[in-house]
Amino acid sequence: MAEAGYNTFLLRSEDVYIDLLTDSGTSAMSDRQWAGMMLGDEAYAGSRNFYHLEEAARNYYGYRYFVPTHQGRGAEHLLSQAVIKPGHYVPGNMYFTTTRLHQEMAGGTFVDVIIDEAHDPANLHPFKGNVDLDKLESLIKRVGANNIPYVSLAGTVNMAGGQPVSMANVRALRELCDRYGIRIYLDATRMVENVFFIQEREKGYADKSVAVILKEFCSFTDGAWMSAKKDHLVNIGGWLAVNDSDLFDTLRNMVVIYEGLHTYGGMAGRDMEALAIGIAESVNDAHVRSRVEQVRYLGDLLINWGIPIVQPVGGHAVFLDAKRIYSHLSQDQFPAQTLVAEIYLDSGVRSMERGIVSAGRDSETGDHRYPALELTRLAIPRRVYTQAHMDVVAEAVKAVYDARKQTRGLAMVYEPKYLRFFQARFEPIT
Ligand SMILES: Cc1ncc(COP(=O)(O)O)c(C=O)c1O
């Protein structure tokens, strides 16, 4: 830990026992996806794998036009540069690190319009990812609809603890945005998991398949970007899809500058084939259920032991409430980062911080942003670990929790300018 600056992003993977750093690019591909890797058409232009991919994305998400990118942030970059102008405001249901940075680098200001319940880890609202329409409307009235290029809507809101958006909320959001002529773009990265919660919790959806619900949800939005490394069960890949042909024209032109030709966007042909197959596998109802229920299995073990976590348990990860666990530490002693380090030291289980370090600094004042949520994330890769691994993780968290009163915080001794959580270094406070 000392060598890695108390930052689990700086560990070598060979020094990790159970790796819950992220569910991004860490899922296991199926036999069918691996077979697809053998069918790579590596032509520079017009690869047949691209057309399979385009068709799969269109089939399941329903948008008209498709642009491949190397991963999610490549798509965020293109969309932000294409539609945000300096002075614009971009409302969203809680920030995400790379998404907000791209919005800011294009000259926009992110404004959080998620419902208040999302900022309270103990609140049991079933759809804590919902947009607060009153907050959004008052922003529109304050800055004017012309200064809002789009609403940045995310499914299974990562920074809120993997919390879903309801169908009723996206439908109402569409109505509001139509009144003001504002577009809605969806971060569809974990939308399949969001759909599972709609199927489970929202009236009228229990008998509809994940695939059907997914398409209905997307129909209320104008386009989406995707980090395919999550829901889509591949190690690398992403895309962007929109309904507007002029915007598509711009994006398809920009992709050749930053990603690669518009028929590969930074991916190899074989990767596009595995991704096309992964999209179809990702909406399999039994798969989504077992994935989300494995996360819930771990969450329930911790709840039963009285360990504070974000509830309801989210779709892709269990989030430990470091503020409550280390209530004796101030937020600038990095309680969630401290918890990450302690769990690794106990058992070799790797997690990551989603609190003050991830939130970064306010671009105007230069001070830390102090998010209400100070969380340690245990993200579970898909189709990789067994329930027995979850038992080991739960016991590690319990051991660290039991020793919480003796734990001291950390000081940041190296801070990179952008997305500091990836590379920052810390030392224990003595
Ligand atoms: C919600 C969300 N959006 C966007 C991204 C960015 O995607 P990528 O890591 O593929 O660049 C991620 C992953 O880190 C994410 O979790």
Side-chain angles (χ1 to χ4, degrees), residues 123-154:
N123 190 298
L124 294 177
H125 191 294
F127 291 102
K128 280 164 91 173
N130 281 355
V131 172
D132 182 326
L133 300 177
D134 292 335
K135 281 188 198 169
L136 176 59
E137 193 159 19
S138 59
L139 176 75
I140 298 171
K141 287 186 175 150
R142 184 162 63 80
V143 304
N146 290 345
N147 289 316
I148 300 180
Y150 64 97
V151 172
S152 180
L153 181 71

Side-chain angles (χ1 to χ4, degrees), residues 24 71-73 76 96 98-99 158 187 189-190 225 227 229-230:
S24 180
Q71 61 181 83
R73 70 198 72 179
E76 290 170 344
F96 182 70
T98 57
T99 316
N158 197 349
D187 182 342
T189 297
R190 297 188 184 84
W225 72 93
S227 169
K229 302 170 69 172
K230 282 82 165 174

Side-chain angles (χ1 to χ4, degrees), residues 22-25 69-76 95-99 102 154-159 187-190 225-230 236-238 316 354 377 421-422:
T22 174
D23 62 329
S24 180
T69 61
H70 79 285
Q71 61 181 83
R73 70 198 72 179
E76 290 170 344
Y95 85 97
F96 182 70
T97 53
T98 57
T99 316
H102 280 297
T156 309
V157 182
N158 197 349
M159 305 304 283
D187 182 342
T189 297
R190 297 188 184 84
W225 72 93
M226 183 79 196
S227 169
K229 302 170 69 172
K230 282 82 165 174
I236 192 72
H316 66 300
R354 294 270 82 150
R377 186 183 77 171
F421 59 97
F422 283 131

Side-chain angles (χ1 to χ4, degrees), residues 394-412:
E395 283 167 22
V397 173
K398 170 98 169 61
V400 169
Y401 179 70
D402 289 344
R404 66 193 178 283
K405 298 223 166 80
Q406 292 87 59
T407 306
R408 301 215 180 139
L410 294 168
M412 199 188 295

Side-chain angles (χ1 to χ4, degrees), residues 17 25 53 56 59 70 74 128 138 191 219 221 223 230-231 258 261 288 310 314-315 343 390 404 418 426:
Y17 175 40
L53 171 57
N59 261 345
H70 79 285
K128 280 164 91 173
S138 59
M191 200 51 228
S219 74
T221 67
K230 282 82 165 174
D231 270 356
Y258 296 108
L261 194 74
V288 191
V310 175
I343 292 169
M390 298 302 112
R404 66 193 178 283
Y418 300 115
F426 302 83

Side-chain angles (χ1 to χ4, degrees), residues 26 52 63 81 117 169 220 234 250 339 347:
T26 54
H52 293 166
Y63 304 110
Q81 292 293 330
E117 288 86 340
N169 188 248
F220 294 114
V234 286
T250 306
L339 189 53
S347 59

